[in-house]
């Protein structure tokens, strides 16, 4: 069974991040999509290797943190390492255009009623 986050050894987290506790504004939020751009190489830190393997298929930052069972803040530091070396790319979801009209609430209510009747 994998250890719970609250059981995580703080010394290990310190080692994983190289003593860093934060990164400059990296533009990574919980839903930023990460994609591997290369395979792991010998000698890479094990957490970096796991991220590269996980992100062969696009994966959100929060999903990576969950899979690694590490705090998001630690994962963001690790991702910045990989971004700086070009080993991963990051894509933020596109916001809806400002001119997009919101759906009519009555139409949404009718859809909901229709779905409930299925």
């Amino acid at each position: 069974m994998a250890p719970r986050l609250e059981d995580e050894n703080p010394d290990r987290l310190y080692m994983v991040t190289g003593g860093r506790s934060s990164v400059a504004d990296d533009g990574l939020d919980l839903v930023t999509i990460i994609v591997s751009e290369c395979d792991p190489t010998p000698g890479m830190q094990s957490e970096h290797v796991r991220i590269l393997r996980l992100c062969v298929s696009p994966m959100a930052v929060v999903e990576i943190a969950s899979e690694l069972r590490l705090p998001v803040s630690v994962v963001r530091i690790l991702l910045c390492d990989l971004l700086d070396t070009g080993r991963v790319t990051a894509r933020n979801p596109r916001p809806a255009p400002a001119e997009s009209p919101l759906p009519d609430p009555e139409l949404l209510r009718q859809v909901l009623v229709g779905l409930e009747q299925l």
Side-chain angles (χ1 to χ4, degrees):
M1 183 173 173
R4 297 179 317 201
L5 282 179
E6 53 270 13
D7 296 335
E8 192 67 55
N9 179 347
D11 292 337
R12 178 177 175 269
L13 296 180
Y14 181 85
M15 294 300 295
V16 165
T17 62
R20 296 168 290 168
S21 60
S22 65
V23 291
D25 183 23
D26 56 15
L28 298 175
D29 59 26
L30 295 177
V31 295
T32 299
I33 301 297
I34 305 296
V35 179
S36 297
E37 294 297 331
C38 66
D39 291 326
T41 56
M44 286 183 77
Q45 183 176 334
S46 62
E47 289 80 9
H48 287 149
V49 169
R50 290 183 63 203
I51 290 170
L52 289 176
R53 289 186 178 146
L54 283 171
C55 296
V56 170
S57 297
M59 185 172 272
V61 171
V62 70
E63 293 173 302
I64 297 166
S66 175
E67 287 291 326
L68 295 179
R69 300 190 55 77
L70 290 172
V72 171
S73 58
V74 170
V75 170
R76 288 179 61 210
I77 292 168
L78 296 170
L79 288 172
C80 284
D81 295 342
L82 294 170
L83 282 165
D84 290 346
T85 59
R87 295 179 190 273
V88 298
T89 53
R91 293 179 280 174
N92 288 314
R94 285 185 251 171
E99 64 276 356
S100 286
L102 293 175
D104 177 34
E106 178 57 27
L107 175 64
L108 291 175
R109 189 191 66 71
Q110 290 174 4
V111 169
L112 182 60
V113 168
L115 288 171
E116 288 173 343
Q117 293 175 355
L118 289 177

